[in-house]
Amino acid sequence: LKTYLDCLPCILNQTLRAVRQTTANEDIQREVLNAVAAAIPLMHVDLRPPEIACEGYRLIRDITGDDDPYRKIKTAANKKALKLYPEIKNLVNQSECPLLTACKLAIAGNSIDHGPSLAAEVETVFESAVKTELAANDFIEFEDNIKNASLILYIGDNCGEIVFDRVLLEEIEKSTKAEIIFAVRGRPVINDVTESDAVETGVDKICKIISNGTDIPGTILKKCSPEFKQYYESADVVISKGQGNYESLEGEKGNIFFLLKAKCDLAARLLGVKVGDAVMKHQNLMG
Amino acid sequence: LKTYLDCLPCILNQTLRAVRQTTANEDIQREVLNAVAAAIPLMHVDLRPPEIACEGYRLIRDITGDDDPYRKIKTAANKKALKLYPEIKNLVNQSECPLLTACKLAIAGNSIDHGPSLAAEVETVFESAVKTELAANDFIEFEDNIKNASLILYIGDNCGEIVFDRVLLEEIEKSTKAEIIFAVRGRPVINDVTESDAVETGVDKICKIISNGTDIPGTILKKCSPEFKQYYESADVVISKGQGNYESLEGEKGNIFFLLKAKCDLAARLLGVKVGDAVMKHQNLMG
């Protein structure tokens, strides 16, 4: 997904939201806003949105000196979702097709985005999610691909959401003999998962955790670590969670299933869905 | 209403939308976006939002050389609304309280904002508007103030909407012996009304038209022409249409009725309503 002009004001907005999590000092908030605004003329639209957004988050770190402003929010989201874990498992186990239900819930978990609206979302979205049909639905291919895979790379997205990912990972385990790898970001950025979140939520007990080696809120292959790239290239199925990973991997080589909530007009239009829709989309490009 | 940090990304977004009306050339669009982004660090939050937004629209004019990019859209909106004039009059005449119905319709007309969503809006919003209750409702005071006024200053907002204003002006005329003045912007800015729109829609047949003397999409008193200020100070009732005028006149001296649709979180919060709500709010400050 290329960067559209619309992405630039949106990135300014996202950065403002993020710096407010770091400090209540309006002078510092303004300083960050000014720095990101001043950087906009230098942002190349041939980069993908997460690469550009990343520059804003770096400016926040530089100006505030806080390397992980969302730490408390991330841990709270993990804890809250872990409390719901038995309920989520229950929904999956009692459903007609546990793998599909786990997919739907993992996609619903992608609603858990940074910010104060978190609390309500974790508790309320997931029950209705089971009943809602996916707007783009490549589940039959997903089920078949999972079953026959030998290496599955699952790329995580947000904290809290990772508990829903764990439930899906557990269902995938039952459906395949493949080795499963779970990928996290290399450094804290917004509320994205890093290695400590995989440990906090027990995902490290189910599968191997690797880092993408970057501080980008997405998966920009050419910037990822050699280890990550090796797994990416060896995986016969990639599961990509969330819009940041979609924006990064759309159009890239590989056998990818995108599981996400469409969060802006541009992504929704490209996916052929509406904002807020739950999406499971298959993209298999030989490159 | 002071400028919040949230207003700055929003202004960047508004400017992008506006330059897209002027030209399809993405290089020019980017040039405008860059110029506005670069100007953000210089924007003072002690100015009100319309004053700041105005700087963005000036940059569009400077860079594109187009003084009135919304001219076609404005004329189309006026024509479309004029076609509906008989229907609007009918709704008013058949209602139990024509003045209240005309107010509700004039507020519904405030939904007619610039952009491609216009066509649908003019035709669809107004019928349901009559049935919807106002979220903030100072109509009893409005009716009483209108009746006893001797000079009413009605400050217009958007094209298309002005036809709904005309219907309200006609109802006000029946309810008062006051002289009525209709104020427009001094120069084209977005789809705001200027003198030619008052002529196109026949508002000049009902009352005297004055200009605020500026290119600001609002009413920043200290920047308005001496003529405008004189009328403003002499008026015993001011009717202020739309959010730009509200952002300008909130907290200012005068006996003002704000008629608007709340269009962003900040204004809605300040008004104690939700985004999209129809508002008629009285503010009477002695200064």
Side-chain angles (χ1 to χ4, degrees):
Chain A
L1 182 66
K2 72 166 207 145
T3 296
Y4 291 81
L5 293 182
D6 312 71
C7 300
L8 301 175
C10 182
I11 282 166
L12 193 60
N13 225 339
Q14 283 179 42
T15 326
L16 175 59
R17 220 159 48 208
V19 68
R20 281 178 170 155
Q21 300 293 343
T22 315
T23 173
N25 182 326
E26 285 204 16
D27 293 335
I28 297 177
Q29 291 171 3
R30 179 69 199 256
E31 196 185 335
V32 166
L33 198 79
N34 287 351
V36 178
I40 283 178
L42 309 171
M43 292 176 178
H44 288 287
V45 287
D46 47 345
L47 298 179
R48 290 171 182 257
E51 269 177 293
I52 291 189
C54 176
E55 295 178 31
Y57 296 117
R58 280 181 197 152
L59 285 167
I60 295 180
R61 285 203 294 271
D62 291 349
I63 291 171
T64 64
D66 186 344
D67 196 56
D68 193 3
Y70 280 87
R71 187 62 264 165
K72 277 187 190 166
I73 289 171
K74 293 194 291 185
T75 296
N78 290 339
K79 278 192 183 155
K80 207 179 268 275
L82 272 177
K83 267 198 190 160
L84 294 169
Y85 175 81
E87 269 187 79
I88 304 168
K89 285 297 273 189
N90 219 19
L91 277 169
V92 169
N93 291 335
Q94 291 178 353
S95 70
E96 259 178 64
C97 178
L99 184 62
L100 175 60
T101 303
C103 284
K104 285 181 170 182
L105 285 165
I107 295 167
N110 186 234
S111 307
I112 304 173
D113 235 322
H114 44 82
S117 59
L118 172 73
E121 286 181 1
V122 182
E123 283 149 355
T124 57
V125 290
F126 73 96
E127 292 212 37
S128 69
V130 180
K131 292 166 204 150
T132 311
E133 292 301 311
L134 300 175
N137 189 346
D138 290 333
F139 178 71
I140 292 169
E141 289 171 52
F142 179 79
E143 197 175 22
D144 172 72
N145 276 248
I146 290 295
K147 193 176 152 191
N148 297 302
S150 53
L151 179 63
I152 297 171
L153 175 65
Y154 191 118
I155 308 175
D157 189 12
N158 297 314
C159 290
E161 176 181 356
I162 190 176
V163 174
F164 295 77
D165 294 328
R166 178 179 151 184
V167 174
L168 176 52
L169 286 163
E170 287 162 347
E171 291 308 311
I172 290 173
E173 259 195 328
K174 294 180 195 164
S175 318
T176 184
K177 285 176 185 156
E179 184 188 355
I180 308 170
I181 311 284
F182 187 79
V184 297
R185 313 293 186 223
R187 273 185 70 172
V189 57
I190 3 174
N191 67 330
D192 284 20
V193 284
T194 58
E195 201 177 339
S196 65
D197 301 300
V199 174
E200 271 181 25
T201 55
V203 174
D204 64 326
K205 300 281 190 300
I206 308 169
C207 56
K208 183 179 162 74
I209 310 298
I210 62 163
S211 146
N212 72 0
T214 79
D215 62 349
I216 296 169
T219 305
I220 304 298
L221 290 175
K222 65 175 186 287
K223 296 196 177 167
C224 287
S225 65
E227 186 200 18
F228 179 90
K229 273 190 278 194
Q230 206 181 328
Y231 278 111
Y232 182 86
E233 279 156 23
S234 314
D236 34 23
V237 175
V238 175
I239 299 170
S240 159
K241 281 297 300 289
Q243 191 168 311
N245 288 324
Y246 170 68
E247 288 173 351
S248 309
L249 294 172
E250 182 268 331
E252 291 285 0
K253 208 173 95 175
N255 183 29
I256 313 176
F257 288 88
F258 294 110
L259 276 64
L260 71 151
K261 285 268 195 180
K263 285 178 184 162
C264 77
D265 279 336
L266 290 170
R269 206 185 310 153
L270 207 68
L271 287 159
V273 302
K274 294 195 293 293
V275 171
D277 275 352
V279 173
M280 172 182 265
K281 183 147 185 128
H282 192 195
Q283 172 191 284
N284 193 354
L285 301 176
M286 306 298 284
Chain B
L1 183 66
K2 73 165 205 146
T3 296
Y4 291 80
L5 293 182
D6 311 71
C7 300
L8 302 175
C10 182
I11 282 165
L12 194 60
N13 223 340
Q14 283 179 43
T15 325
L16 175 59
R17 219 158 49 209
V19 68
R20 281 179 169 155
Q21 300 292 344
T22 315
T23 173
N25 181 327
E26 286 205 16
D27 293 335
I28 298 177
Q29 292 170 2
R30 178 70 199 255
E31 195 184 337
V32 167
L33 198 78
N34 287 351
V36 178
I40 282 178
L42 309 170
M43 293 177 178
H44 288 288
V45 288
D46 48 344
L47 299 179
R48 288 170 183 257
E51 269 176 293
I52 289 189
C54 175
E55 295 178 32
Y57 296 117
R58 279 180 197 153
L59 284 168
I60 295 180
R61 284 204 295 271
D62 292 349
I63 291 171
T64 65
D66 186 344
D67 197 55
D68 193 3
Y70 280 86
R71 187 63 263 163
K72 277 187 190 168
I73 289 171
K74 293 193 292 184
T75 297
N78 290 339
K79 278 192 183 155
K80 204 178 269 274
L82 272 177
K83 267 197 190 161
L84 294 169
Y85 174 82
E87 269 185 78
I88 305 168
K89 285 296 273 190
N90 219 17
L91 276 170
V92 169
N93 291 336
Q94 291 178 351
S95 69
E96 259 179 63
C97 179
L99 185 61
L100 175 59
T101 302
C103 285
K104 284 182 171 181
L105 285 164
I107 295 168
N110 186 234
S111 308
I112 305 172
D113 234 322
H114 45 83
S117 59
L118 173 74
E121 287 181 1
V122 182
E123 284 149 355
T124 57
V125 290
F126 72 95
E127 291 211 39
S128 69
V130 180
K131 293 166 205 151
T132 311
E133 292 301 311
L134 300 175
N137 189 346
D138 289 333
F139 178 71
I140 293 169
E141 289 171 52
F142 179 80
E143 193 174 24
D144 171 75
N145 276 246
I146 290 296
K147 192 175 155 192
N148 298 301
S150 54
L151 179 63
I152 297 170
L153 175 64
Y154 191 119
I155 308 175
D157 189 11
N158 297 314
C159 291
E161 175 180 357
I162 190 177
V163 174
F164 294 77
D165 294 328
R166 178 178 151 185
V167 174
L168 176 53
L169 286 162
E170 287 163 346
E171 290 308 310
I172 291 172
E173 259 195 328
K174 294 178 194 164
S175 318
T176 184
K177 286 176 184 153
E179 184 188 356
I180 308 171
I181 311 285
F182 187 80
V184 297
R185 313 292 185 223
R187 273 185 71 173
V189 58
I190 4 174
N191 68 330
D192 285 20
V193 284
T194 58
E195 200 176 341
S196 65
D197 301 298
V199 174
E200 271 181 25
T201 56
V203 173
D204 64 325
K205 300 281 190 302
I206 308 169
C207 56
K208 182 180 164 74
I209 310 298
I210 62 161
S211 147
N212 73 0
T214 79
D215 62 350
I216 295 169
T219 305
I220 305 296
L221 290 174
K222 64 177 185 291
K223 296 196 176 166
C224 287
S225 65
E227 185 200 22
F228 180 89
K229 274 190 278 194
Q230 207 180 330
Y231 277 110
Y232 182 87
E233 279 156 23
S234 313
D236 35 23
V237 175
V238 175
I239 299 170
S240 159
K241 281 298 299 289
Q243 190 167 309
N245 288 325
Y246 170 68
E247 289 173 349
S248 310
L249 295 171
E250 180 268 334
E252 291 284 1
K253 208 174 94 173
N255 184 29
I256 312 175
F257 288 88
F258 294 110
L259 277 62
L260 71 149
K261 284 268 193 180
K263 283 176 187 165
C264 76
D265 278 336
L266 291 171
R269 206 185 311 156
L270 207 69
L271 287 158
V273 302
K274 292 194 296 288
V275 172
D277 276 352
V279 173
M280 170 180 265
K281 182 143 186 132
H282 191 195
Q283 172 191 284
N284 192 354
L285 301 175
M286 307 299 282

